[in-house]
Amino acid sequence: MMIKRFTLFVSLLILATATYAQESKFAPKREFRGVWIATVQNIDWPTKAAVGVNPAAQQQELIQILDEHQKTGINAIMLQVRPSTDAFYAKGREQWSRFLTGKQGLAPEPFYDPLEFAIQEAHKRGMELHAWINPYRATTSLVDSLTSPDHITRKTPEWFFSYGDKKYFNPGIPEVRSYIVDVILDIVRNYDIDGIHFDDYFYPYPGKDPLPDSTAYMQYGQSFANIEDWRRNNVDVLIESLGENIRSEKRHVKFGISPFGIWRNLAQDSLGSESNGLSGYSALYADARKWVQEGWIDYVNPQLYFPFHYAAAPYEKLLDWWAANSFGKHVYIGQGVYRAMEDREGWRNRQQLPNQVRYLRENPNVQGSVYFSSKSLTNNLAGFRDSLQHNFYKYPALHPQMQWLDDTAPAAPSELKEKKFLIFKSNKKAKLRWERPQDEQVYGYVIYRFEEGEPLNLENPKHIVKVIFDHTLESYDDESIRKGKKYQYVVTAIDRLKNESAPSNAIKAKF
């Protein structure tokens, strides 16, 4: 009998260990879970931008979008605030976007500041807000009537060139680079953002014609061996300058870039990836590997919108390459949810995206994902949102730490006492109270709850009840308690970069 009991005990222990290992494997406590909300051409928000649209309707639409992403488990919003040398914000030097009000230069009426509103709503939900900016795209059309007479393309036309059906800043002109830095610093100084984010648009994607920047090259690039090296240096100078200036203004504001998925192919460079597609280094003059290696950016977010084993750009090979070239910075994988229903290559397998999440979680040098785009995710293409909400993102996650920016934990909350623990049996609500730390670095709190007999393991995210971005709070109402249960609670403090304090004292409560 003793042998049978011991065997049963060992079996249960193995099962418990395996279950916890699986939870740890597929539910990391820290993970970046982002989504791009595209405003250009009204892809995601606002869906209507005609003159006279009620701003209240736009605000409500954004609230609904954020609510849906919160349910999914998203913890970071990449909001496109400068789609084409225009603005979804008031406190800057560029004109209002026509994708907001239907006419470039026309302010919302009644007035509101979309970026300020979005930051407040994102932070209410424990989400970071990264201001997504297109640095060089000046217009999305060559039709002059779509731009205001006061638009910068008309005021300083010598700063721009036309290519394809768009206008672009010429990155080789020093005044252009200075202007773009100033535009971005307006946002950093004036808004409570968590990050500045660029996508893959640097020099334009190549067409049949050469880029019309030879005059600028003759004026500014004669110290370079060729025009390609000069172009790459032009982008490098901007990225380096921005990294330095952002950190100088606000140390906690992260700077990240989402480059094209291939830096260079192995056939082009011994440091390149096992791929055979277009190279961001050669086609867009974007040396993303260098930006990470030099420490100019805090995270790289390569757009790996490809399936496993795709000949030109295999997802698994590219992910492994970016992870191996992270140089201690963060890697978040850009995943193309919009492709989930395609009838081609690996996309016919509706498990393609879930399998991509599983694969990236196997790599310790990858800290999360960003999904394109918001609408594709909320529309639950191929059931992928369900996979996130009910499986991968079932439990909350703190954002990954960036020790190179700050690694000092804030002071812990205190005085979490049972006598201050109030139970409202009528509506099954528990009210936690604690003593707010006298530490100016405290930005918010994490509430943990454990059932009777469970170890107080703060590394298991299933115990996180709530992540709060509000340092002024000294209480939290837990409305998810169950009758007949015994719980223990602890609270920790987090700073702006999500460094976490030691836990408060634990308290017990019986329902």
Side-chain angles (χ1 to χ4, degrees), residues 30 128 194 399 401 469 494-500:
R30 289 187 179 271
E128 290 190 346
D194 298 283
H399 302 84
Q401 295 166 278
F469 289 1
I494 51 175
D495 65 14
R496 191 60 191 260
L497 283 161
K498 315 311 180 295
N499 295 304
E500 187 177 19

Side-chain angles (χ1 to χ4, degrees), residues 15-28 358 361 391:
L15 178 62
T17 303
T19 302
Y20 178 68
Q22 186 177 28
E23 285 179 350
S24 298
K25 180 179 178 182
F26 293 111
R358 292 185 181 99
R361 282 184 169 178
N391 182 2

